[in-house]
Amino acid sequence: MSGLKFTVEQIVWQEVPGEVSLAFLFSGCPLRCKGCHSADTWKEGIGTELTEEYLKGRLKRYRGLISCVLFMGGEWQPEALQKMLAIVAQEGLKACLYTGLDREELEAVSDGILPYLTYLKTGRWQME
Ligand code: SF4
C-alpha cells in the first residue's frame, strides 16, 4: 500500500477548540459515508505523500505558532499514522484525529494510535 497521502494541508482555528492546528486531510477513506463532505478524496493514492521528513520540516517551520496537529483520517494505514503521531509528540505538540470509526473500532485497528491522541473525534458522517 502507498504511504499516507494528503489532499489538503492548512492551519485551522475552529476544528480543534482552543488550539491552532496544522491539519492534514488524507485521501483514501474506505468508509464511503453518504453525504461525506470529502467524497472527492475517497480515491486512494491521490495527493501528496506525507513523509516523516516533510512533517518534521513543517513542524519546524510552524514552531511556536501551532499547538496541535490534526489528522483527518489515515487510520486505515495505522503504522504510518502512528509514525506521524510519534513525530508530533516529539515536538511537544498535541494531536487530534478525526476518524469515521468509533473508539472500539479504532482500538481494533491499532492499539498504538490512541495513546498519542489528545483529542479524538469519532463516528461516521450522518446526513441527518
Ligand atoms: S469517514 Fe469521514 S471522510 Fe470517510 S467517508 Fe465518512 S465522512 Fe467521508
Side-chain angles (χ1 to χ4, degrees), residues 29 31-33 36 42 100 125:
C29 180
L31 295 179
R32 307 280 190 271
C33 305
C36 170
W42 283 353
W125 166 257

Side-chain angles (χ1 to χ4, degrees), residues 94-107:
K94 295 172 190 166
C96 177
L97 175 67
Y98 279 20
T99 174
L101 304 177
D102 63 30
R103 199 184 174 92
E104 289 69 36
E105 289 171 324
L106 184 64
E107 273 170 337

Side-chain angles (χ1 to χ4, degrees), residues 25 40 42-43 45 55-56 65 68 75 80 85 96 103:
L25 174 64
D40 55 332
W42 283 353
K43 196 168 161 21
L55 180 61
K56 284 177 186 168
L65 301 172
C68 184
E75 69 279 4
L85 288 166
C96 177
R103 199 184 174 92

Side-chain angles (χ1 to χ4, degrees), residues 14 16 35 62 72 81:
Q14 309 280 332
V16 187
Y62 292 120
M72 295 169 156
L81 183 63

Side-chain angles (χ1 to χ4, degrees), residues 84-97:
M84 298 306 153
L85 288 166
I87 292 169
V88 172
Q90 274 164 19
E91 274 292 318
L93 294 168
K94 295 172 190 166
C96 177
L97 175 67

